[in-house]
Amino acid sequence: MTPRPTALGAALTVFGAALCTWGLFSASRPPWALALALLALAAWVVRTALVFVPQPVAARAARVAALCAVGAGALAGTSTGANSLIPATVCAMVLVADQTVSVVAAAVTAGGGVALVAVGAVLWPTSVPAFAGMVAAVLVGALAGFSRRQGAQARRREALLAERERALREEAGRNELARDLHDVLAHTLGGLVVQLDAAEALLEAGDASSAHRRVTSARELAASGLGEARRAVTALRQPREPGAEAAHRDPVASVDLDRRLDELVEMHRALGGEIAWERSGVPAPLDRAQADALHRALQEALSNVRRHAPGCAVTARLAWRPRAVRLSIENPLPPSRQSAPSATEGFGLRGMRERVNALALGGTVTAGPQAGSFVVTVEEVLA
């Protein structure tokens, strides 16, 4: 983008141009040099004014004015000194810093300014030190512009990187919400169907008392699922405070994890499912993300059993090892699915993999038929 001076910078430009104009008439100058110097000063001021006009044509006119200031100021430099070299140097700087100008064009501008200083030295003979000083002034302006150009590009890259990180965080948030809602809905709605089917069967059998208990359990399940869904949505709608990511690494007591897993097991049994729940090994500390991944994995696996293999006995094992914890859920494949087990995985298994893959220490998820059973295994690496 075209560099734009501040209001103070614009005021200093006008003041500097006025001083240089006064300096031009303080000594005798060749008419051609005086005309070129005045042209450079006028172009400098016009360029400064045009950059404040928000029109593309004004931006192009500002670049043309800056180019005129470089050419005229450099050519008149040997006979007018700083009075014309100042606008030439400043405009060389802004042209090189202008990111809408290609690097090649900026280099040609700087080189052209140096060449015109040499031409001016031929028209108005000057000493070698003075000539070298004028060339150095133009080159310093170009180098300053290049430095500003690099700085602007670095800030632009940082802004793009920050924007990309923000987009990635938002995408991660949407995926997290999608995973949680999928698991909550699958667990809750699947359980409601089981409870209501059972209640209907009990009513048809005339057992109103048992049917009432089933309906009560269904209401509690629906309330629990609604609460979980609300918490998931609320968590995603709230801005993430600094340190929110660190909260995922907060340690979770093993008793809390056991309680959450036991609740899922008891819920499965309450829904009429048969499950053998085994633990082995010495529990190790887990962070919140690891505990959530295990909890959601067991929840999703049991929901899948109720949906795809109703009535099948489940064996779930939580095995603690020195550097890993493994959760496996196994159920016999129903006869209708043994001949052609599904080769695809739904959102639930995908969510398991995404959660485990996002863990700081990593882990693996496997799911598929094994010797007539469907086995889901989640293994997390421990610190």
Side-chain angles (χ1 to χ4, degrees), residues 262-279:
D262 288 344
E263 288 176 353
L264 292 175
V265 170
E266 292 304 318
M267 178 63 69
H268 185 73
R269 288 171 177 156
L271 293 172
E274 181 181 348
I275 179 171
W277 177 221
E278 303 172 3
R279 295 190 185 88

Side-chain angles (χ1 to χ4, degrees), residues 158-175:
E158 289 176 358
L160 290 174
L161 182 60
E163 176 66 19
R164 184 176 181 182
E165 290 179 350
R166 186 187 64 80
L168 289 175
R169 286 197 299 272
E170 289 181 354
E171 183 179 358
R174 288 195 298 271
N175 289 337

